[in-house]
Amino acid sequence: MDAIKSFEELEFAVFCIENSAIELGVSATRVYDAWTRKSNLLNRYVIPCFPALHTQGKGYIIDELLRITQEEGIEI
């Protein structure tokens, strides 16, 4: 499990959570809970893939994260 190691990773994690919540029309708290308590997606995917993901556009990032969330059956 990778932990957030820098301010940039933290900022990216917040960006992903907030924008996914907006896309889904739910609270950021619900996304955070689903990605940490229910599935650990934040530490299994978002943070480890930060170097590649943060170079992409917002639409791609959010679509990718929501695709994985759906594929893994993570309920938000």
Side-chain angles (χ1 to χ4, degrees):
M1 172 170 73
D2 290 2
I4 294 173
K5 298 179 193 92
S6 69
F7 180 76
E8 289 79 16
E9 288 179 349
L10 175 60
E11 200 171 42
F12 182 71
V14 171
F15 166 86
C16 291
I17 292 165
E18 288 181 345
N19 284 286
S20 294
I22 290 167
E23 183 70 22
L24 294 170
V26 299
S27 71
T29 302
R30 283 183 62 180
V31 174
Y32 175 79
D33 286 344
W35 288 358
T36 57
R37 295 186 180 134
K38 293 180 183 177
S39 69
N40 202 27
L41 184 67
L42 190 66
N43 287 322
R44 284 188 304 108
Y45 183 76
V46 177
I47 301 306
C49 293
F50 166 74
L53 281 176
H54 89 283
T55 65
Q56 302 299 313
K58 175 181 163 183
Y60 174 85
I61 294 167
I62 302 310
D63 287 348
E64 179 70 4
L65 295 174
L66 296 181
R67 180 188 64 77
I68 293 168
T69 298
Q70 183 177 19
E71 283 181 2
E72 291 190 7
I74 301 166
E75 291 185 37
I76 296 181

